Amino acid sequence: MLKSIRMNVVVCSALLLLCFAASANGQKKSPAPAAPTPVPAPAPAPATDYVNLADLLSVAGPFHIFLKYLESTKLIDTFQDQANKTEEGITLFVPKDEAFSSIRKPASLSNLTQDQLKSVISFHAIPHYYSLSDFRNLSLNNPIPTFAGGPNFGLNFTDNAGTIRIDSGWTSTKVISAVHAADPVAIYETDKVLLPTAIFGTDIPPLPPAPAPAPAAEAPAADTPSAASDKGSSSSSSSSHSNSAATSVVHGHLVAVIVGVVLMLLCR
């Protein structure tokens, strides 16, 4: 009996050892889980080129007077941030230096307060980028608001067969050329300073009259050298005819005298 119990214990122990060994082998043969594939980081967005408005206006134009007003009113910083830190961009209308000396009286920038001067310079900028082709349909939304703000500080545009005209109330001018036109900055040259009626009023002086046409050339008078020359030519012509007639008469008389002498000699 005791011997039988020992045999059962031995058999059970052996079975347990076999099960443990099989379990260990199974765990060793199971493959390890694969490591997760890392997700690539997104590529950084390409950086847009920084546009320096002061450098552009310094080398083009010349736009020295407009640039001086931008710096004195601190608007250069405002426009610079609009150009490089916003998605809207900016459109600038920049008059050349000689345009400031041709402002029609009684308008004058020298009589303005600092706030008024700042509004005039702001009147030359639109807080949005517009290419040249955009002006074809821009007239449908006239007046276009400017940086000066307010309903009385808008600009009116027309596109006539590619010629872009700007009307500010006091000023009617056109775009001469594109100094810089790459999104988000557009700079267009004008031949006049844009003056808003909100500052200079609606009593706009008339345009100067057009110069009178040059008088047509007149026919020379009787006492002019050409007339005298013609008169002298006709006189000399008639004189030569008179001399020829006189010579013919003299020759006729000589022939008659010679014939008479010959006849007298024959009669003797």
Side-chain angles (χ1 to χ4, degrees):
M1 180 76 178
L2 182 60
K3 187 177 180 179
S4 175
I5 293 173
R6 288 178 178 175
M7 286 295 296
N8 291 333
V9 170
V10 172
V11 172
C12 290
S13 298
L15 291 174
L16 289 173
L17 289 174
L18 289 174
C19 291
F20 179 77
S23 175
N25 289 334
Q27 289 181 356
K28 289 181 180 179
K29 291 181 180 178
S30 60
T37 304
V39 179
T48 57
D49 294 335
Y50 182 85
V51 179
N52 191 310
L53 298 179
D55 287 350
L56 286 175
L57 296 178
S58 297
V59 299
F63 304 119
H64 302 307
I65 296 179
F66 187 79
L67 179 57
K68 180 190 70 174
Y69 282 127
L70 282 178
E71 293 171 342
S72 65
T73 57
K74 308 299 182 184
L75 283 172
I76 186 67
D77 299 327
T78 303
F79 293 169
Q80 197 72 67
D81 290 343
Q82 179 72 21
N84 294 288
K85 297 182 180 180
T86 69
E87 295 182 357
E88 290 294 321
I90 190 172
T91 300
L92 272 172
F93 301 99
V94 185
K96 294 182 71 172
D97 286 351
E98 53 264 29
F100 289 89
S101 60
S102 61
I103 296 177
R104 284 187 290 161
K105 302 298 182 181
S108 174
L109 300 186
S110 59
N111 298 330
L112 301 180
T113 65
Q114 187 68 9
D115 288 341
Q116 288 175 327
L117 181 60
K118 188 173 183 178
S119 295
V120 171
I121 303 303
S122 299
F123 194 51
H124 289 73
I126 298 175
H128 186 81
Y129 169 79
Y130 289 110
S131 65
L132 287 172
S133 60
D134 291 333
F135 288 98
R136 295 173 185 169
N137 299 322
L138 202 59
S139 60
L140 301 176
N141 300 320
N142 284 334
I144 305 302
T146 65
F147 257 99
N152 297 324
F153 286 95
L155 293 173
N156 295 304
F157 295 90
T158 56
D159 184 353
N160 184 9
T163 300
I164 302 167
R165 298 204 64 85
I166 312 171
D167 190 354
S168 72
W170 264 74
T171 309
S172 179
T173 184
K174 63 181 179 180
V175 171
I176 303 299
S177 64
V179 179
H180 181 89
D183 196 359
V185 177
I187 301 176
Y188 301 113
E189 175 189 339
T190 63
D191 58 356
K192 293 181 182 179
V193 180
L194 302 176
L195 304 177
T197 55
I199 292 178
F200 296 96
T202 57
D203 188 13
I204 303 172
L207 292 172
E218 297 179 357
D223 56 351
T224 58
S226 58
S229 176
D230 294 342
K231 185 176 180 180
S233 298
S234 61
S235 298
S236 60
S237 177
S238 61
S239 175
S240 61
H241 285 301
S242 300
N243 292 336
S244 298
T247 303
S248 298
V249 171
V250 170
H251 287 169
H253 284 300
L254 287 176
V255 170
V257 169
I258 292 172
V259 170
V261 171
V262 170
L263 290 174
M264 289 177 61
L265 292 173
L266 291 175
C267 290
R268 289 180 183 179

